Amino acid sequence: MTVLTSEPTGTAAATLAGMPGAQAFLAAARTGTPHMLIRGTAGSGKSTLLATIRDELRANGTAVASTAVADVEPGGALVVDDAHRLPDAAVDALTLAAHRPDITVIVATEPRPHSRALRSLGDALGSLPLDPMTARDIVVRAESTLGVRLPIGLAAAILRITGGGVQSVDATLGALSRLDPTEPRTQPALERALDAATAAHLRPRLAELDADLLCTLAIAAIGSGPDPVELVRVLSVDPTVAQDLIDRARGTGLVTHTLLPVAREPLAAALGAQRLARLHADSLRAKLADGALDLPAARAYGEAGVTDPELAEFLCSAAEHAEPPLAASLYAEAVRAGADRNTLALRWSEAAALSADLDTAVGLTDGLLERAADLTDTELAAAVRIAASVAAQQGMLGRSADLYEWLGPARVGSDAPIAATVLLAAGRPERAEAMTDRQAGSPPTSTSAGAALLAQGLRQSIDGRVAIAVNSLTRGLSLSANGSRPRLLPDSGAAITALAGIACGELAGAQAVLQRALDTEPRESITRQRHELLLTWIAMIRGDLDAATARLDAMPTDTEPTPRDALFIAALRVGLARRVGDIGALTHSWERAHGVIAEHSADLFSLLPLGELWLGAARLRDTDRLAHLIEQANELLTRLGEPTLWGSPLHWYGVQAAILAESPSELLPHANALGVAAETSPYAAGLAAAGRAWLRVLQGEIDATVVEQSARTLDRIGLPWDGARLASEAALRASDTRTATTLLQVARSLRPAASSTPGTVAGTERELSAGLTDREAEVANLLVMGLTYRDIGARLFISAKTVEHHVARIRRRLDATSRADMLSMLRAMGHGTES
């Protein structure tokens, strides 16, 4: 017996690079056990490995035979490729030779698990599989053959395209080496180029295969791969031949559970489009006859372009029980398979909208509304509900209300509470009342009862019965959660309940409602981001700016938010930047908000973000851009009779906007509105007292006791940041040091501990290098960020005069010749950047 002793070097080493199975065989051969059956699919590198083995054996002086067993002399070697092509008698002769102790026998074959002769040969020789390459193997091979190290992501893409066969990988790497390096390519574009190269490599391989094997590969492209019974039916062959065809198909290396996607186009070219379509149709009929059609196969038939009424019905049935994203895809596939688009439009539009595919939902519901005369009242009400819900997601609740007005009380049916909720939120109370009168006859299901309670709770919140309203909203939310399947609604019960809670200062209850919704709804739910944003809002108004920023930054960025969610995102970014005093970030966030503002209209559920954007605009002296929405909001509140719960937060924003503008005259209407609301609402009373305190501060009347009481009231009703700001602003305007000191202590006591000071330089080394104290470093950061002395004082709870003294000392320490010189030096030291 001959043993391999030399290590592969040079060309041989490069040839076997990234082929762990080949390396394992050579390692075994060098230990004295070269008898081996090498199993690998076509293109797995078997022939390459055998060529290396022959060269190594001949280099050792061993006589090598490649065909007849009789030709092998003692001490020689028999190296045979493609044993799967040999007749059983020849394979049996190899099995006998494997028992000879005086020769080496090495055989390569494609896997044929049902071949008796090859199984016996494997038992005699011992089997070594040449498994497909991994992504890391491809990295190794590329480095050896091309001299470049591929990113692992690109290697994974090559593996996905080729299936890991050595020949296909080499063809793809060759195409990669020929690409113009000066031409910029995105990863998807690069993958398309490599996919095309692999397909071109496969075309001649597929053209050499016989017709039955090509047909087997075509059937393997559907679902979970070919089945012997299916092949017997479709190809009219006996079971033994069918099993052999399956083994041969897997031996091509193009079939794992199903056919590699890259092989489909070359296969279609080899078979011809008509023959391929006929095969797929026959295969479908066979699966249907045997009751063997499953969802992956059904979707594959649809993707292949098969049209069949039973296939369409199967896909529709599967969609009925699927989650919305999958259901929407299945309805689309059912239509391509021959289902009637109009018949499926209602169910399809709801699934599409629940999957955030609003464009598809709009197209389908518009088609339904155009055929209103052909629909039943129940179908029409459902179509309007979906269309109205999509409009609400798009920030156009007024259109939602228009749709329900067009539908009217006579046709609204069990969706009357939903219609009433929309009409109230859009500021149309009389129309809402007409809808409410129609809901008495609705069946008392959990869903309808929950919707009725939500509508009732919203009505009560507008009428000023806040405690009763919160109870109704919470009970309605609990009932709605018991619904049997998801329905698309203009807004979620959790969001409406939380918005009401935020508007009246019940932040803990609102947070609990939102967290419960997030804990129970699917991750792909269309309402999930809205609930996350409202939780972020609660963190912001509480003054926990770090938590709010972290939550906002964690929002997914791979998909565009709905316009309604985009409004909240814009308002959060503006609000956070304003609170930390970062003028650059505020300006950037405000500019990004312009597009969102342009496509939105005011409604009851958008008053909070509109108010926050109003303050950002006021800080930047750009309120004209938002004036039309604020006017709409005020008109909305007027139509609803100035509801205390919903109007008080907006009027508080109005107070603060007037403060930023230093305009007592603009503050008065909002302070008066809060004063009226204070008669029935403790929350409004706290805001009203704070508004009066602000007005007196603006007028130069600083009463430390009144300011402290108002600031602490704001803290108690869930607005600690606002309370701290009131106290610090009053301290800045105080004429005597004692009052200013007292109010600054109040401000510090209310400042949320969880909120850090943005702009603080991380680490003390940079500060010490300039000899700045900690306080001077804080002032330096904010100064470089563009804040005025007054803004810096408000942020650090010190007077503007104290800030001026700090700046003078900083300039002396730096020996700066001018203010510009000082700022330049501070920037160079790293001040004014967040870390």
Side-chain angles (χ1 to χ4, degrees):
M1 179 184 295
T2 301
V3 177
L4 300 183
T5 58
S6 61
E7 295 280 350
T9 59
T11 304
T15 300
L16 301 180
M19 295 171 57
Q23 304 290 353
F25 174 82
L26 292 177
R30 287 192 290 274
T31 63
T33 56
H35 274 19
M36 193 67 67
L37 178 68
I38 302 169
R39 281 200 179 98
T41 60
S44 63
K46 300 186 306 298
S47 298
T48 300
L49 175 58
L50 286 189
T52 301
I53 290 168
R54 289 191 189 98
D55 291 343
E56 296 288 342
L57 288 169
R58 286 169 179 151
N60 291 339
T62 303
V64 179
S66 299
T67 52
V69 174
D71 293 340
V72 185
E73 301 174 355
L78 180 62
V79 181
V80 179
D81 199 359
D82 292 335
H84 56 279
R85 299 180 185 274
L86 299 176
D88 285 354
V91 176
D92 289 339
L94 291 174
T95 302
L96 290 173
H99 294 288
R100 287 179 56 182
D102 59 335
I103 64 172
T104 294
V105 179
I106 300 172
V107 180
T109 180
E110 289 182 7
R112 293 291 188 271
H114 296 88
S115 167
R116 187 266 322 155
L118 286 173
R119 286 202 308 272
S120 297
L121 180 61
D123 292 340
L125 290 175
S127 179
L128 178 119
L130 288 182
D131 293 328
M133 302 175 76
T134 67
R136 295 198 178 278
D137 295 334
I138 293 172
V139 171
V140 171
R141 192 162 185 84
E143 194 164 10
S144 177
T145 58
L146 301 183
V148 297
R149 185 166 183 82
L150 294 185
I152 191 66
L154 181 56
I158 293 174
L159 174 61
R160 192 167 55 249
I161 291 168
T162 63
V166 174
Q167 286 187 6
S168 294
V169 168
D170 284 348
T172 308
L173 292 176
L176 186 64
S177 70
R178 293 189 294 272
L179 292 177
D180 184 354
T182 63
E183 183 180 344
R185 283 184 173 84
T186 62
Q187 176 91 1
L190 189 57
E191 289 182 23
R192 286 193 295 272
L194 299 180
D195 190 274
T198 307
H201 162 72
L202 292 178
R203 286 190 193 100
R205 279 184 58 189
L206 288 167
E208 295 173 355
L209 303 181
D210 60 81
D212 281 349
L213 181 53
L214 289 173
C215 292
T216 304
L217 290 173
I219 294 170
I222 302 298
S224 56
D227 175 78
V229 176
E230 184 180 350
L231 288 183
V232 168
R233 285 180 179 273
V234 175
L235 300 183
S236 301
V237 296
D238 64 54
T240 303
V241 173
Q243 188 59 69
D244 182 61
L245 283 169
I246 291 174
D247 286 350
R248 290 175 62 201
R250 297 192 184 282
T252 62
L254 302 176
V255 177
T256 51
H257 296 297
T258 186
L259 187 71
L260 283 175
V262 73
R264 292 179 182 179
E265 183 273 326
L267 178 62
L271 269 174
Q274 289 185 341
R275 174 63 171 147
L276 186 63
R278 191 161 58 250
L279 273 171
H280 287 157
D282 291 346
S283 172
L284 172 63
R285 303 312 305 172
K287 276 189 167 65
L288 288 169
D290 293 335
L293 183 64
D294 58 16
L295 185 56
R299 300 190 73 186
Y301 284 119
E303 184 182 349
V306 177
T307 57
D308 183 277
E310 289 187 67
L311 173 62
E313 183 180 350
F314 183 96
L315 291 167
C316 287
S317 178
E320 290 297 306
H321 303 94
E323 292 297 321
L326 176 58
S329 297
L330 292 176
Y331 284 128
E333 292 165 14
V335 169
R336 289 196 294 270
D340 180 60
R341 180 184 179 92
N342 291 336
T343 302
L344 296 183
L346 192 59
R347 289 171 285 172
W348 184 5
S349 64
E350 183 150 36
L354 285 168
S355 307
D357 183 1
L358 302 187
D359 290 341
T360 296
V362 167
L364 290 166
T365 52
D366 279 354
L368 285 165
L369 297 177
E370 288 168 0
R371 297 185 294 105
D374 300 330
L375 304 180
T376 66
D377 284 353
T378 301
E379 290 171 335
L380 186 58
V384 167
R385 172 177 56 80
I386 296 165
S389 299
V390 171
Q393 294 277 351
Q394 294 172 326
M396 298 183 290
L397 200 68
R399 168 164 165 73
S400 305
D402 291 342
L403 285 163
Y404 274 116
E405 283 201 37
W406 170 80
L407 181 66
R411 296 185 294 185
V412 72
S414 61
D415 281 349
I418 300 171
T421 300
V422 166
L423 290 162
L424 281 173
R428 307 180 193 183
E430 296 81 9
R431 301 287 187 179
E433 196 64 35
M435 292 291 182
T436 305
D437 293 341
R438 300 290 301 189
Q439 72 186 62
S442 302
T445 64
S446 294
T447 299
S448 62
L453 275 171
L454 286 169
Q456 179 181 323
L458 184 60
R459 174 79 265 180
Q460 291 164 341
S461 75
I462 291 171
D463 291 343
R465 294 172 286 171
V466 175
I468 298 174
V470 170
N471 178 265
S472 297
L473 289 169
T474 305
R475 287 187 295 129
L477 182 59
S478 299
L479 280 173
S480 299
N482 298 326
S484 57
R485 61 179 296 149
R487 297 174 78 214
L488 184 70
L489 297 172
D491 208 345
S492 75
I496 295 172
T497 304
L499 283 166
I502 294 170
C504 66
E506 296 291 339
L507 301 186
Q511 183 171 342
V513 163
L514 293 167
Q515 193 59 59
R516 187 161 56 247
L518 288 172
D519 291 343
T520 56
E521 66 186 339
R523 293 203 64 81
E524 64 275 8
S525 169
I526 192 172
T527 58
R528 189 171 186 86
Q529 186 170 58
R530 181 153 175 77
H531 298 155
E532 291 275 12
L533 287 168
L534 289 173
L535 274 177
T536 306
W537 194 273
I538 291 172
M540 180 182 72
I541 61 175
R542 275 180 168 164
D544 192 352
L545 307 186
D546 288 346
T549 301
R551 293 189 73 99
L552 190 58
D553 290 343
M555 295 288 172
T557 57
D558 53 340
T559 57
E560 284 291 321
T562 63
R564 179 172 64 187
D565 286 349
L567 181 73
F568 271 84
I569 291 171
L572 281 164
R573 296 213 177 278
V574 165
L576 288 168
R578 180 178 64 83
R579 281 168 172 79
V580 302
D582 188 337
I583 300 300
L586 177 59
T587 301
H588 179 64
S589 298
W590 173 242
E591 289 173 351
R592 289 176 62 185
H594 292 174
V596 178
I597 292 169
E599 62 184 14
H600 220 282
S601 58
D603 60 69
L604 205 60
F605 303 147
S606 66
L607 296 182
L608 289 175
L610 290 181
E612 198 61 54
L613 290 168
W614 187 7
L615 288 190
R619 179 66 182 83
L620 298 173
R621 304 292 190 265
D622 192 20
T623 53
D624 288 348
R625 189 181 296 276
L626 197 70
H628 66 290
L629 288 178
I630 301 304
E631 184 178 350
Q632 287 179 21
N634 286 321
E635 291 173 354
L636 172 79
L637 293 174
T638 299
R639 292 198 302 271
L640 293 173
E642 289 293 335
T644 297
L645 184 146
W646 299 99
S648 295
L650 188 69
H651 289 306
W652 176 242
Y653 279 119
V655 167
Q656 295 180 83
I659 292 165
L660 288 170
E662 299 191 6
S663 173
S665 62
E666 292 180 14
L667 186 150
L668 278 173
H670 301 292
N672 291 337
L674 288 172
V676 173
E679 298 175 6
T680 56
S681 166
Y683 183 76
L687 297 178
R692 288 193 296 271
W694 270 116
L695 180 58
R696 293 178 66 179
V697 167
L698 286 181
Q699 293 171 338
E701 301 175 20
I702 311 298
D703 185 323
T705 302
V706 171
V707 171
E708 179 174 0
Q709 288 176 346
S710 296
R712 296 199 182 281
T713 298
L714 287 172
D715 176 49
R716 189 172 61 255
I717 63 177
L719 300 171
W721 188 90
D722 294 57
R725 183 165 173 268
L726 170 58
S728 64
E729 183 68 22
L732 289 172
R733 293 172 180 266
S735 58
D736 64 286
T737 304
R738 183 174 181 179
T739 300
T741 301
T742 299
L743 292 175
L744 284 174
Q745 289 175 345
V746 172
R748 291 190 185 99
S749 72
L750 298 180
R751 180 179 177 181
S755 181
S756 64
T757 304
T760 300
V761 178
T764 60
E765 292 183 3
R766 283 178 291 179
E767 298 168 7
L768 294 174
S769 67
L772 301 186
T773 66
D774 289 345
R775 175 61 84 191
E776 287 168 355
E778 288 181 309
V779 170
N781 288 320
L782 300 175
L783 191 67
V784 173
M785 289 166 60
L787 274 67
T788 64
Y789 290 175
R790 176 179 292 278
D791 289 335
I792 294 173
R795 188 68 188 87
L796 299 179
F797 306 108
I798 58 179
S799 70
K801 195 70 175 174
T802 301
V803 173
E804 184 179 355
H805 291 321
H806 281 307
V807 172
R809 284 197 295 271
I810 291 169
R811 183 170 171 180
R812 286 197 300 272
R813 289 181 191 276
L814 298 178
D815 195 24
T817 57
S818 65
R819 177 183 175 85
D821 186 36
M822 175 186 65
L823 291 174
S824 178
M825 294 170 71
L826 289 173
R827 290 191 189 97
M829 292 162 55
H831 290 285
T833 59
E834 292 191 22
S835 59

